[in-house]
Amino acid sequence: MSNQGNPGTEGITEQDIADFLLNNPSFFERHAELLANVQLSHPHNQRTVSLQERQAEMLREKIKGLEFKIIEMIRNGQENVAIADRLHRWTLALMLTQDAAAVPEVLARELRHQFMIPAAGLRLWGVGEAHAQADFAQACSADVRSFAGSLSQPYCGVNSGFEAANWLGGDQDMASLALIPLKHGGTSFGLLVLGSPDPTRYTAEMGTEFLARIGEIASAGLARLLPGAGDGAGA
C-alpha cells in the first residue's frame, strides 16, 4: 500500500495499525461512523458488507462451530454410555456364571452379542486337571504361547495367517483380528481372539485401552479354571 500523499505515515505497517487499534479501543467510540462506512468483502460471495455485518457473520460462524462441537461431544458421550452399558452386561454375565467350566463359552458368546463381534474364541493352557479335555484347553503351539507371553497390550491388525484365527471356526475368512493376552499373576495362561471379515474393524492404528480392559476382566473370570482355583463349581 502506497503512502504517497499521506505525510507522516512513512514506514507505518499494517501491524502497526492493528496494534494501535488493539491498544486504543476508544478509537471507534470517537469515530463510530467508521463502523458503518467500512466495507469488507463477504467471505461467501462477491458482495461487500459493513464491518458490523462482517462481525456478526464471524460471530454466527463461531457459534455454529461451537454447536457442532457440542453435538459431537453429546454424540460421543452417548456412545460411551452405550459401551459402558454393554461392558456392564458382559461383566455381569461372567459373574453370574456359577459353573467355572461354562465361563469360556459365556465369555465368548456374550462378547459377540453385546459388542456385535462377528467371531470370538479363546484358548487356555495350564488349566486345572478337571478342565484339561475341554475345547477351550485344546493344544496350541509353543509359538502361540510365546506370542501371548510377549504381548504387553492387545494386538490389532490384519490376519496374516495367525494360528489363533483357526479357533474362530465358521465359513467366513477373518480379515482382521484382535489378539488379547490373558494373564494371571503376570504370567500368560491364554489368548482371546476377536475376528472380523472387515479389514478395517481391527487396525494397528486403533486404540487398545478398551480391549485391554476386556482382557483384564476376562483374565479375572477365567482364572477360576487354573489349578488351585477350585473344583469347577465356582465360589
Side-chain angles (χ1 to χ4, degrees):
M1 180 177 67
S2 173
N3 291 323
Q4 188 176 359
N6 295 282
T9 62
E10 187 71 30
I12 295 179
T13 66
E14 289 184 355
Q15 187 59 51
D16 293 331
I17 297 172
D19 291 341
F20 172 81
L21 294 176
L22 285 173
N23 294 323
N24 295 273
S26 62
F27 174 83
F28 287 109
E29 295 177 4
R30 298 192 302 272
H31 302 277
E33 72 281 359
L34 289 177
L35 296 176
N37 294 331
V38 172
Q39 298 293 307
L40 303 174
S41 297
H42 193 277
H44 304 305
N45 53 51
Q46 299 301 315
R47 71 184 181 90
T48 58
V49 296
S50 68
L51 181 59
Q52 294 104 316
E53 187 175 348
R54 180 69 183 101
Q55 288 176 316
E57 180 68 24
M58 292 174 63
L59 182 58
R60 283 193 293 269
E61 290 178 355
K62 185 175 182 179
I63 292 173
K64 185 181 295 184
L66 292 173
E67 288 176 345
F68 283 142
K69 289 183 179 179
I70 291 173
I71 292 172
E72 183 69 13
M73 290 173 61
I74 292 173
R75 186 179 67 83
N76 289 337
Q78 291 172 336
E79 289 180 354
N80 289 337
V81 169
I83 290 174
D85 285 343
R86 295 188 188 108
L87 182 64
H88 178 69
R89 290 192 292 268
W90 176 68
T91 304
L92 279 181
L94 295 183
M95 296 178 66
L96 293 173
T97 303
Q98 297 186 12
D99 181 4
V103 170
E105 193 276 331
V106 172
L107 185 153
R109 183 190 69 223
E110 290 299 312
L111 269 180
R112 292 191 296 267
H113 173 65
Q114 298 294 345
F115 298 101
M116 294 171 286
I117 298 171
L122 57 85
R123 283 289 189 277
L124 306 177
W125 45 86
V127 297
E129 186 176 348
H131 310 293
Q133 302 304 315
D135 289 341
F136 57 78
Q138 294 302 301
C140 56
S141 70
D143 287 342
V144 168
R145 299 187 185 196
S146 177
F147 175 73
S150 70
L151 290 176
S152 58
Q153 60 184 13
Y155 163 89
C156 294
V158 297
N159 177 14
S160 55
F162 284 100
E163 178 183 331
N166 298 326
W167 308 342
L168 300 174
D171 298 327
Q172 286 185 305
D173 291 331
M174 297 295 113
S176 62
L177 300 174
L179 303 174
I180 306 172
L182 302 170
K183 299 188 176 185
H184 179 67
T187 301
S188 66
F189 70 97
L191 188 67
L192 173 63
V193 54
L194 312 178
S196 173
D198 180 359
T200 65
R201 177 69 183 265
Y202 303 108
T203 66
E205 294 76 25
M206 69 183 294
T208 58
E209 287 189 9
F210 180 72
L211 293 176
R213 297 293 179 268
I214 291 287
E216 290 173 357
I217 296 172
S219 296
L222 294 166
R224 298 161 59 188
L225 299 166
L226 296 176
D231 60 3

